[in-house]
């Protein structure tokens, strides 16, 4: 310490100069520490800041403790700048507003727009599941989600943004504040193109899934209803026809086929009989809800022989054509049964099932 009057160096706690006799007041603390310990020091005193912009930031976020002794915000001055840089120009509106009108109308699209991709995709997946499971509740679900997202988006977005900013600060703590602020600005903000692409993929997926689901459900419901009715009718008719046959023929029955005539409600019944020398077929048909025996192909070979020898009459030729048709019909119905059953197995049935096959065990059950 030096004398204020003559400049002579004084000893510690020496109040009077030994050279000129001047009185020198003893300093107990340096000026900067004294200033900080004074009661009148105030963080909101504009005079202690280098710029008005710096003062405005501190004033807005109010770093002083409140009356309860807790801080109003977890972030300090620089961290708030990083948060604002991350969120962008809508920072003040999002921070202060209790309801987000954009999130209300755009919901998952707006969440994607704000780069919250994981939350947006999870939300769309839940929506997709709701659509597939019970689409009639879709409008109720969407309305509820619109309200919830509109009410809670701002708080949720601020929370996740703070987590991101804290991560960037810790990861780049060796960098200066200007660089960290630019990193936050680059990583945050909004992204229209990515949001549109993801949301468009979601809409296309929902459209085709919903269309396919409803189409298949409609066709399958129709198919199974008609299939159940037709099979029950066929099963009943083939048992009635079987009971009308002679016992000898019954014992030789190998298989029975039923064909529904698509143009009306009539049916045809075909039996395959295993004979010692050759197989032949028996044909029944329905007419006005009556089951009528039509013909069989037992003498088909005899008529073929007459036809080859050119000894067949016109009436016999007509009968021959009819029996040929019965034999051919059996093969056609048999093939259609296989194709229809394969469609059912592959879940590709799109029309009414018209042809059925019954084994000997099924007929006699």
């Amino acid at each position: 310490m030096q004398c204020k009057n003559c400049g002579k160096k004084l000893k510690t706690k020496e109040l009077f100069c030994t050279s000129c006799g001047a009185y020198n007041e003893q300093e107990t603390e340096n000026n900067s520490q004294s200033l900080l310990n004074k009661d009148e020091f105030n963080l909101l005193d504009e005079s202690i800041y280098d710029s008005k912009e710096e003062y405005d930031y501190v004033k807005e976020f109010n770093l002083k403790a409140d009356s309860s002794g807790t801080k109003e915000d977890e972030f300090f001055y620089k961290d708030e700048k990083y948060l604002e840089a991350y969120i962008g120009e809508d920072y003040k509106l999002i921070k202060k507003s209790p309801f987000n009108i954009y999130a209300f109308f755009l919901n998952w699209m707006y969440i994607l727009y704000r780069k919250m991709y994981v939350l947006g995709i999870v939300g769309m997946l839940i929506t997709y599941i709701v659509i597939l499971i019970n689409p009639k509740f879709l409008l109720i679900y969407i309305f509820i989600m619109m309200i919830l997202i509109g009410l809670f988006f701002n708080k949720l977005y601020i929370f996740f943004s703070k987590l991101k900013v804290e991560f960037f600060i810790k990861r780049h703590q060796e960098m200066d504040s200007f660089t960290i602020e630019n990193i936050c600005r680059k990583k945050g903000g909004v992204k229209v193109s990515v949001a549109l692409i993801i949301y468009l993929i979601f809409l296309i997926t929902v459209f085709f899934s919903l269309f396919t689901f409803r189409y298949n459900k409609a066709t399958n419901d129709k198919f199974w209803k008609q299939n159940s009715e037709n099979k029950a009718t066929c099963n009943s008719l083939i048992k009635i026809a079987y009971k009308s046959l002679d016992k000898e023929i019954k014992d030789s029955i190998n298989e029975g086929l039923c064909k529904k005539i698509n143009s009306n409600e009539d049916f045809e019944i075909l039996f395959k009989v295993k004979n010692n020398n050759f197989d032949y077929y028996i044909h029944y048909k329905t007419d006005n809800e009556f089951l009528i025996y039509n013909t069989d192909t037992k003498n088909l070979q005899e008529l073929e022989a007459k036809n080859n020898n050119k000894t067949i009459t016109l009436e016999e030729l007509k009968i021959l054509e009819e029996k040929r048709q019965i034999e051919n019909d059996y093969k056609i119905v048999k093939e259609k049964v296989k194709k229809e059953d394969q469609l059912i197995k592959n879940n590709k049935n799109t029309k009414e099932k018209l042809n059925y096959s019954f084994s000997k065990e099924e007929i006699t059950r």
Side-chain angles (χ1 to χ4, degrees), residues 238-245 250 253 271 360 363-364:
I238 208 163
K239 287 179 180 295
I240 294 172
Y242 178 79
K243 289 179 180 179
S244 68
L245 297 171
K250 286 181 182 179
I253 292 288
F271 289 109
K360 178 70 172 289
I363 296 171
T364 57

Side-chain angles (χ1 to χ4, degrees), residues 229-263:
E229 293 175 354
N230 292 345
K231 187 173 183 178
T233 304
C234 277
N235 186 46
S236 176
L237 291 173
I238 208 163
K239 287 179 180 295
I240 294 172
Y242 178 79
K243 289 179 180 179
S244 68
L245 297 171
D246 295 336
K247 185 179 184 306
E248 182 181 351
I249 298 176
K250 286 181 182 179
D251 294 339
S252 302
I253 292 288
N254 177 262
E255 183 184 35
L257 300 180
C258 178
K259 171 187 175 183
K260 180 180 183 297
I261 309 302
N262 197 23
S263 59

Side-chain angles (χ1 to χ4, degrees), residues 74-195:
E74 295 178 359
F75 276 31
F76 292 97
Y77 165 65
K78 286 184 178 179
D79 297 334
E80 288 289 353
K81 288 184 68 174
Y82 299 151
L83 183 62
E84 182 174 4
Y86 183 86
I87 293 176
E89 60 182 14
D90 295 328
Y91 168 70
K92 293 181 180 179
L93 180 63
I94 290 175
K95 192 174 189 330
K96 294 180 180 180
S97 177
F99 188 84
N100 193 312
I101 192 68
Y102 299 107
F104 174 77
F105 284 109
L106 300 176
N107 46 83
W108 305 122
M109 174 63 184
Y110 187 76
I111 291 175
L112 294 172
Y113 170 73
R114 282 288 169 183
K115 293 187 176 180
M116 300 174 71
Y117 299 123
V118 174
L119 181 61
I121 292 173
V122 170
M124 290 188 296
L125 285 175
I126 295 173
T127 304
Y128 181 72
I129 293 171
V130 171
I131 292 172
L132 291 184
I133 293 177
N134 207 331
K136 66 180 181 179
F137 292 117
L138 180 59
L139 291 179
I140 298 174
Y141 167 79
I142 291 176
F143 182 70
I144 293 173
M145 291 308 300
M146 288 173 67
I147 294 175
L148 292 177
I149 294 174
L151 283 173
F152 295 105
F153 174 80
N154 288 348
K155 293 180 180 179
L156 193 63
Y157 184 50
I158 290 289
F159 173 76
F160 280 111
S161 298
K162 285 183 177 181
L163 293 180
K164 286 283 189 180
V165 169
E166 288 176 350
F167 171 76
F168 296 142
I169 293 173
K170 291 179 181 179
R171 187 173 182 179
H172 305 286
Q173 56 186 348
E174 74 284 354
M175 298 182 179
D176 59 89
S177 61
F178 178 77
T179 303
I180 297 176
E181 186 176 346
N182 282 335
I183 291 173
C184 291
R185 186 174 290 108
K186 183 178 179 181
K187 295 292 184 179
V190 297
K191 195 74 173 179
V192 179
S193 58
V194 176

